[in-house]
Structure formats: C-alpha cells, structure tokens
Amino acid sequence: MQTVPTMNGEASLNANGGASVVGEANSAPASGPTDRRAARKARKMAEANNYNKKHGFRLFLLVAPLLVMVVLFSYLPLFGWVYAFFDYQPPIPLSESEFVGLQWFEMMVQNKAQLQTIGQVMLNTFAMSGLNILTSFLPVIFAIALNEIRAKWFKNIIQTLTTLPNFISWVLVYSIAFAMFSSTGMVNDLLQNLHLITEPIKFLDSADHTWLKMLLWGLWKGLGWGSIMYLAGIAGIDPELYEAAQVDGANRFQQIIHVTIPQLMPTYFVLLMLSISNFLNNGMDQYFVFQNAFNTKWIQVLDLYVYNVGMGQNSLSLGTAISMLKSLVSVALLLIVNWLSKRTRGVGIV
Amino acid sequence: MARVKQSVSPAMRRTPGERVYNIFNIIFLSLFALICTYPFYYLIINSLSDNSAAAAGEVTLWIQGFHLENYKTVLGLDGMATAAWISVARTVIGTALTVMASAYLGFMFTQQKMWHRSFWYRFVVITMYFNAGLIPMFITMKNLGLTNNFWVYVLPAVVQPFNIILVKTYIESIPASLQEAAEVDGANTLTVFGRIVLPMCTPILATVAIFSAVGQWNSFQDTLIYMTDSKLYSLQYLLYTYINQASSIANSVKASGTVNAAMLATAATPTAVRMTVSVIVVLPIMFVYPFFQRFFVKGMMLGAVKG
C-alpha cells in the first residue's frame, strides 16, 4: 500500500521520524544545487525510512501466525469468562442459555453450606501456600550445606540425586507414595515385621495431618531443584568477600552468616515475592492424585475445587465464576507485590 | 602456591567443631539423597522380584527370584501400547515445535525494526502472569474442537513466554556485530536467524528442549480434562487409572489362566502391576536425565542471573 507514488509515501511519512527532514527541505527557500542535493538526500532518507517501515511490518508478519496462537490459547479463553454470567449447561449453546448476572457469585456466599465449603477451601489454600512460604528458606540451607562440601564428585552426585524427583510427575509421586505408605506398603510391612505396630498405619487414607504430608511430598520433590538457583547465587559471590571476612578472623559459620546469607538475600527475595504472588495458584496435580474420600476436606485447594465443581459436578458456570475470581485476585496480588518490590528494592519482579 | 589458594576457601580451616560439622553435613546430605532415590530403586527391584516375596515385603535391598513376567503382563495390557505411542508422539512433536517457536520468537523479538516490537513482546510475556482458569480454558478448547484431539497436547504449549524470555536474553548477549556483518553481506533476517543465531543458541535451546520434553512426558492434567477417548490417553493418565484399579487388573490376569503354584509366584499382584507401570513410565526420564543435567543446571543459572 506504500508502493504508490512518492508523494503519498512522503505524506504518510510526515507523521513520524524521517518526515521532519522532508518538511525542512521543502520549506527552505529554493536556491541552487545545494538545495537540490538536500532534496535528493531527503528523498533517499524517506525511501530508506519507507523501506525500514515495510521491513518492520514484514518482520511483524513473520511472527503473526505465532501471535495468533497466543490469542487463541491465552486471550480467547478470557472471553470464556462470560460463561460466569450465564446458566450454561452443555450441550445447550450459550446463545440459548439464560443470562443470570451475578447469581453464581452470590451463590458462593449465600448458601451457608457453600460458604462453609469455600471457607474450608480458602483455609486449605492459605495453609498449603503459607507452609510453602514458611519453608522457603530450606533450599537456601540445603544449597549452603552442599556448597560446604569440598569433594566435587560428591557434590555432583548429591545434586543429581536430589534433583531427580523434580522430574517425575505427580502421578508417579503418588505411585511411589502408594508403594511406600499404603497399608500394604513397604513402611507398614517393615514396622509390622519389626513388631512395632500391629495395625497398619493409614498414611494415605486418613484425614490426619494432610497439610503436613502434602508439604513433605512437595519438599521431597522440589528441595533439591529449588537449591540450584541458590547454588548459582553462591557461585557468583565475589571470593574477595570471603578473603576479607577471613582477614577479619571470621570462622566458617561466621562467613556463612555474614557473607553467604546476605549475598543470597536478593535472590531469595525475588523468589519469595513470586511465591507470594502465586499464593492462590497451588496447581491441582498434586492434590488431585492424593485426594480420596478421607482427606478431601483438608486437601481441596482452590485449583482442585474448581476442577471438582466444574468437571466433577459439571457446573461449568460456577467453576468459571470461581476461576475468574481467582485469576483476578492473583493478578491483583502480583501487582501489589510488584509495587512493594519496587518501593522497597527499587526493582520490580515483573 | 596451592596452600595459599586453599587457605582462601571457606572450607579449609579445620577446628574440631568444623570437623564435626563436616561429618554431620555429609551424613545429612547423603541421607536426603538416599530418601530421594531409594523409592525408585525400591520400585525397580520389586517389579523384577518374585511377586509373593514382594507382596510379603521381603524385597528391600536386592532382587529376589528374578523374573520378567510383570513386564510381559503390563506391556500386554489393553491400551498400554497406544498410550506409550501417544506419550512418545506428544513429547517428540511438542518439544520440536516448542523449541522452534521459542528460538524463532526469541530471535524476532530482538529485531529492533519490527513493527511495534515492544508492544508485541509484552503482549506475549503478559500471558505468563495471568490465565483465564481451568474451566474457561476447557470451554474454549471444546469450542475450538480440540477436545478429544491429539493437538490439544501440543498446540497450547507451543508459545511459552518463559522460554522466549530465556532465548531472547541469551541472543542479546551475543555480539550484535555478528548479525550486522551477515546483513552487510546481504543476508536477510531469516538467513541471519538460520545461519548465524540458531547455531549459537544450542545451550539455551537444549535447556528449553529438556524442560519441554519433561513437561510433555509428565503431563497428566490435560488428558484428564480434555480427553474422554481412551485412544488418546497418555501414559501418565493410564498409570493413574492403573494405580486406582490395579487389583481388578491383577484379578483378570489371574482369572485368565490356569493357576498353579509356579505361576502364582510370577502372577501379577496389584502391587506388582502398579510398580511395573511406574517403572516403565519413569525409565525414560531416568535414562535421559543424567546426560542432560549439566544443560539445565546451566539454563537455570541463566534464569537465576536474570532474576
């Protein structure tokens, strides 16, 4: 569209960058070859600019197909939020569904039983996220301990072995949990063979200490992996800091407390902020596989609840309403945390 | 010289207190490593052992009564071959597409000249921080005709903002003069990408590939939500159903043949079926993992430096 006459091209260019040159050349009083040269130069620049613009647009066209995918899979689902305002019951299409306004949102708080369930779900979500945040210093300790080992081969082996659980799925974790802790599992067999217990302990099929168990499985899976960031951080600490500390007579523990830990704080802080902004997003895989009739009250976090309501009970509209609130609160949390981070550290996390 | 260098290391000076600390440290780390790995070992030795010994909980340290019947049984189970094929296909196709898209977009977003580049970059990156949620996502996929469709495993995962940020940051650390030189020689943008930038991105693309492959192999939720057609079940989902139904599978195996004492030792018990399927699912990762560990440790560090 910009290939048509030069005048057109120049006119359109007036709106931006190179256009001012053209304008100046035209407004200058016409006098002799210097001016013609200036005009030619201006035209050349305009052509170059035109080319750049076309080139820039062509570059955009080259990525456009992938941007369409982003629209389809990230932006389009946002329009799905309208289902929260309808009484959508597939296979009846949305156009024939009844518009119910905020009914689903009211339903969450109106009904006493429903309110109680939501309360319990929020409690679980907060407890699990809270426990994760409270234990977020453990990878730091693990990284420091690992860094204190001098034998490189030993360090590598430990690191390899402890990051392995991070790479298996939660289904496999559950399978392992089953092999180890079910009533016929290895731990119960062992305890019974040693005559320490007579009845198998119900590690999995009970409501006791569900939060704690979930925390421990999370740590088992993620601790080694989480420490990699901090190991990278420790590797980046200036050795001169340690030398200076030694000159001042600091022993190993004092060096850890006064050099290593303060140097790791920025990394820790960023990760902590991220986990706070993800407070409502516990994911559902872990809780879904460990969920059973006994522990469902204590294990149902928000993500799992959305699944159970939406897919399990087929209340797609209510599920959408909860999803929507969750996403909005999450974004709000992220913005707050980002603002806080900017205030206190001068750098945002986003 | 060596001594001087050593005295710098914080671990060098050894008072008795520090020696005790060292020993505790090593014990603590070894114990945690053992806790992390023993379960895998336990699954493997039990799946290979005499099933009655395994059921009695006697197999804890080494294989007893080695046999491969469990594997024969499990591999012959209905749907196993299809699920394995689906899992392999989604891992290969998904990883290839994700890596290509990450490299391509990561590179394109370094091109200053692109029309409204920073806007489009943000347009992609923002999707990392919000999502519509599970149910709207499900409805959208259903409307797009992607439920009970293999491509739902692959397509939504192609453009991943985190990977794009990783690749973009990496490309920005490559000297710009290399690209400029190629452009002076008349190479266009795509040639620069294919000939100059892409070959230099191997380390970061390896990281992206591993994350993506592991993610694809382990993914369970998408089968759960989008698939009702058992021909499209992934291995992980099948494992989940087997864990929940292992006793009925074992019974059907037992019922299908004449049972004698010799067979009973190798006949599948629910536990044996569970463990064997688990080993089959975890094996690819255990094989691949040690070789690629250094790549993703490096990749993670790139991420860490970025903050």
Side-chain angles (χ1 to χ4, degrees):
Chain A
M1 94 193 192
Q2 274 141 2
T3 48
V4 271
T6 13
M7 274 313 291
N8 249 348
E10 279 177 17
S12 78
L13 273 171
N14 266 329
N16 61 36
S20 62
V21 182
V22 180
E24 265 171 43
N26 284 346
S27 65
S31 61
T34 16
D35 180 56
R36 222 176 294 148
R37 208 177 301 146
R40 199 183 303 142
K41 200 176 161 195
R43 200 164 50 233
K44 257 196 184 152
M45 276 180 79
E47 266 166 24
N49 211 314
N50 205 349
Y51 167 76
N52 272 349
K53 225 184 137 186
K54 260 166 52 185
H55 181 60
F57 195 72
R58 210 171 293 149
L59 284 177
F60 165 71
L61 287 181
L62 284 173
V63 299
L66 287 169
L67 294 178
V68 169
M69 291 186 69
V70 177
V71 172
L72 279 184
F73 298 121
S74 296
Y75 287 92
L76 194 59
L78 291 177
F79 288 100
W81 280 359
V82 298
Y83 289 88
F85 304 101
F86 285 85
D87 186 12
Y88 177 58
Q89 266 153 7
I92 301 165
L94 187 68
S95 52
E96 286 160 36
S97 301
E98 191 195 347
F99 180 82
V100 293
L102 295 175
Q103 183 202 298
W104 296 113
F105 297 91
E106 282 164 18
M107 207 183 127
M108 275 182 242
V109 287
Q110 244 171 17
N111 184 333
K112 205 171 176 195
Q114 182 71 17
L115 194 63
Q116 217 165 20
T117 315
I118 297 253
Q120 182 70 42
V121 167
M122 290 314 285
L123 184 68
N124 294 341
T125 307
F126 276 60
M128 309 269 192
S129 291
L131 284 173
N132 282 333
I133 288 173
L134 283 180
T135 52
S136 62
F137 66 93
L138 288 175
V140 183
I141 293 186
F142 187 75
I144 291 173
L146 195 55
N147 190 56
E148 294 285 308
I149 303 289
R150 269 161 299 166
K152 216 169 171 219
W153 62 268
F154 185 73
K155 223 161 129 176
N156 283 339
I157 287 180
I158 299 281
Q159 204 188 351
T160 307
L161 296 183
T162 53
T163 43
L164 181 61
N166 181 65
F167 287 90
I168 65 168
S169 64
W170 276 109
V171 179
L172 263 164
V173 174
Y174 180 61
S175 174
I176 284 171
F178 210 100
M180 294 278 147
F181 294 104
S182 71
S183 48
T184 55
M186 182 226 168
V187 172
N188 273 319
D189 278 346
L190 197 73
L191 292 176
Q192 276 170 323
N193 290 349
L194 292 172
H195 300 291
L196 288 173
I197 53 167
T198 48
E199 284 279 294
I201 302 172
K202 290 192 152 99
F203 289 104
L204 297 172
D205 305 339
S206 79
D208 306 336
H209 316 295
T210 308
W211 296 344
L212 188 68
K213 286 174 201 160
M214 289 303 110
L215 173 72
L216 290 175
W217 282 113
L219 283 176
W220 179 79
K221 195 169 187 289
L223 186 58
W225 178 251
S227 70
I228 288 186
M229 288 275 206
Y230 297 110
L231 280 168
I234 293 175
I237 296 175
D238 189 349
E240 275 184 33
L241 288 173
Y242 288 110
E243 285 166 38
Q246 276 172 2
V247 171
D248 290 345
N251 66 26
R252 224 159 107 189
F253 308 111
Q254 286 166 329
Q255 286 177 35
I256 292 174
I257 290 167
H258 296 292
V259 180
T260 315
I261 290 180
Q263 291 288 314
L264 287 180
M265 281 321 277
T267 312
Y268 179 71
F269 195 77
V270 169
L271 294 180
L272 185 69
M273 288 288 183
L274 279 176
S275 57
I276 291 174
S277 65
N278 272 322
F279 209 81
L280 296 183
N281 306 316
N282 322 66
M284 73 163 243
D285 279 17
Q286 174 182 5
Y287 309 103
F288 178 82
V289 293
F290 278 95
Q291 174 183 235
N292 56 43
F294 303 94
N295 63 16
T296 186
K297 185 182 173 193
W298 301 103
I299 210 170
Q300 208 163 222
V301 295
L302 210 42
D303 283 321
L304 180 58
Y305 182 62
V306 168
Y307 174 82
N308 286 342
V309 166
M311 309 295 288
Q313 300 163 19
N314 217 5
S315 314
L316 289 177
S317 287
L318 182 58
T320 307
I322 306 169
S323 281
M324 184 178 155
L325 283 185
K326 196 192 94 144
S327 297
L328 291 177
V329 173
S330 291
V331 170
L333 266 179
L334 180 76
L335 292 177
I336 292 170
V337 164
N338 194 43
W339 175 79
L340 261 179
S341 171
K342 268 188 186 150
R343 283 277 315 247
T344 51
R345 295 169 61 243
V347 214
I349 53 164
V350 180
Chain B
M1 187 60 202
R3 185 176 289 181
V4 173
K5 214 177 151 194
Q6 274 189 349
S7 75
V8 168
S9 125
M12 181 53 205
R13 287 175 25 198
R14 279 199 247 173
T15 63
E18 290 184 354
R19 215 170 290 176
V20 172
Y21 166 71
N22 272 344
I23 291 167
F24 269 110
N25 203 359
I26 289 171
I27 292 175
F28 157 71
L29 291 172
S30 310
L31 212 63
F32 186 61
L34 191 72
I35 292 173
C36 283
T37 27
Y38 178 75
F40 296 99
Y41 178 72
Y42 180 80
L43 291 182
I44 294 172
I45 56 172
N46 272 276
S47 67
L48 291 170
S49 291
D50 186 300
N51 286 337
S52 48
E58 285 161 10
V59 185
T60 50
L61 293 177
W62 187 239
I63 300 164
Q64 288 181 23
F66 176 85
H67 71 100
L68 288 171
E69 288 305 314
N70 285 336
Y71 286 86
K72 278 184 202 156
T73 310
V74 166
L75 289 175
L77 286 175
D78 266 357
M80 198 70 190
T82 327
W85 169 241
I86 291 284
S87 276
V88 169
R90 68 175 289 180
T91 303
V92 172
I93 299 173
T95 306
L97 288 180
T98 305
V99 168
M100 285 193 299
S102 304
Y104 182 68
L105 275 181
F107 168 75
M108 283 304 202
F109 283 135
T110 63
Q111 299 298 300
Q112 311 282 342
K113 280 172 262 161
M114 183 199 291
W115 183 65
H116 291 304
R117 179 186 70 118
S118 56
F119 171 77
W120 293 117
Y121 181 59
R122 271 186 217 135
F123 183 79
V124 173
V125 168
I126 281 177
T127 62
M128 194 159 88
Y129 298 105
F130 71 82
N131 58 62
L134 187 97
I135 306 296
M137 194 73 184
F138 166 74
I139 297 174
T140 310
M141 293 299 160
K142 210 173 134 195
N143 292 343
L144 290 174
L146 282 171
T147 45
N148 277 331
N149 184 331
F150 174 79
W151 291 101
V152 79
Y153 287 140
V154 174
L155 292 181
V158 167
V159 180
Q160 283 185 11
F162 182 72
N163 294 343
I164 292 166
I165 295 175
L166 271 186
V167 177
K168 181 175 175 269
T169 319
Y170 188 86
I171 292 176
E172 277 166 353
S173 72
I174 299 173
S177 50
L178 275 168
Q179 288 185 42
E180 281 160 19
E183 269 163 25
V184 167
D185 289 344
N188 67 29
T189 312
L190 289 181
T191 319
V192 171
F193 172 60
R195 296 279 177 81
I196 314 283
V197 176
L198 202 56
M200 296 184 78
C201 287
T202 324
I204 195 72
L205 293 184
T207 311
V208 170
I210 290 156
F211 284 151
S212 162
V214 171
Q216 285 286 358
W217 183 258
N218 280 342
S219 182
F220 157 75
Q221 209 185 323
D222 43 16
T223 314
L224 180 72
I225 295 167
Y226 302 128
M227 303 300 182
T228 47
D229 181 357
S230 62
K231 282 196 195 76
L232 289 163
Y233 284 173
S234 64
L235 216 43
Q236 301 285 346
Y237 186 77
L238 212 61
L239 170 63
Y240 179 74
T241 57
Y242 282 169
I243 294 171
N244 285 332
Q245 310 162 357
S247 34
S248 62
I249 292 165
N251 284 337
S252 72
V253 170
K254 254 183 218 161
S256 67
T258 44
V259 182
N260 56 42
M263 265 188 72
L264 216 56
T266 56
T269 64
T271 322
V273 172
R274 274 182 211 121
M275 288 182 179
T276 312
V277 182
S278 304
V279 173
I280 292 172
V281 176
V282 83
L283 225 47
I285 287 187
M286 288 181 79
F287 269 122
V288 167
Y289 169 74
F291 299 104
F292 289 109
Q293 202 217 8
R294 66 195 171 94
F295 278 121
F296 59 70
V297 167
K298 223 181 268 168
M300 276 291 277
M301 287 184 178
L302 281 170
V305 171
K306 202 171 47 63

